[in-house]
Amino acid sequence: ILSWAEDYIFRVYGVSIIERTLTETINGTGISKLFTNKGDIASISSLIVSDETIDTSLLKFNKNTIFYKDNTFASGTFNVDIVYKVGYATSDLVPKGLINALFVIGRKMYTDETKNFDAYASISSDTKQSVKLIDSIPTLADNLLQAYRIFRL
């Protein structure tokens, strides 16, 4: 059940508790910042902008924002390919708020009368169904997760 709860948090709130490697194609911004769809970024393996490989040592990151020192990312539509890691390598690194939210949501799933875990597995932050389920998760879990939520600009 905790695995389902972690996956739910990842899809709906955009933050991963377990370490995952992600590949995304996103829009170039024309400024020195890029925004990924998930966070907290742990490391960046590669970043290619308009067929030009960027030296990852020139990049800084925070949550889901990548900063390019003394340079800008070329603007464009789906012209940025990025491979990066999110999440935490060991459990002692996971913030207590995320752990608490994981257990609160896991308990909600466990006590859900329908036991329809597929409903939780099939939603994302972009679906109307997720709003219904977010409304049904305990306020405590939602409040705990707000500090970690990834918002796309």
Side-chain angles (χ1 to χ4, degrees):
I1 290 198
L2 291 179
S3 173
W4 288 87
E6 195 285 332
D7 190 57
Y8 175 82
I9 290 170
F10 177 65
R11 283 179 290 101
V12 175
Y13 290 88
V15 63
S16 183
I17 294 171
I18 61 172
E19 193 172 60
R20 305 168 192 250
T21 299
L22 304 175
T23 301
E24 283 188 45
T25 300
I26 57 178
N27 296 333
T29 58
I31 60 174
S32 62
K33 295 180 191 177
L34 286 176
F35 305 96
T36 62
N37 289 310
K38 303 292 182 188
D40 288 327
I41 298 172
S43 65
I44 300 171
S45 302
S46 74
L47 192 135
I48 300 170
V49 180
S50 303
D51 297 323
E52 179 186 340
T53 301
I54 305 298
D55 179 358
T56 57
S57 70
L58 299 174
L59 304 173
K60 298 285 184 196
F61 44 86
N62 183 15
K63 273 192 115 165
N64 72 321
T65 306
I66 300 169
F67 304 92
Y68 195 1
K69 288 191 254 181
D70 303 322
N71 217 325
T72 59
F73 296 104
S75 62
T77 305
F78 299 118
N79 65 323
V80 178
D81 293 311
I82 180 170
V83 178
Y84 62 106
K85 282 189 179 181
V86 296
Y88 302 90
T90 60
S91 60
D92 60 314
L93 298 174
V94 180
K96 298 252 186 277
L98 283 178
I99 292 171
N100 291 338
L102 175 70
F103 281 105
V104 170
I105 292 171
R107 182 178 186 276
K108 168 66 177 165
M109 290 175 156
Y110 180 75
T111 59
D112 186 334
E113 292 176 9
T114 66
K115 299 288 188 241
N116 184 7
F117 297 127
D118 290 335
Y120 292 95
S122 64
I123 64 167
S124 71
S125 60
D126 300 327
T127 65
K128 290 181 183 177
Q129 185 182 19
S130 70
V131 173
K132 178 181 172 194
L133 288 172
I134 289 170
D135 288 344
S136 72
I137 69 167
T139 303
L140 172 61
D142 190 51
N143 288 342
L144 288 167
L145 289 166
Q146 288 308 315
Y148 306 99
R149 184 175 209 138
I150 300 300
F151 293 97
R152 284 289 289 147
L153 301 176

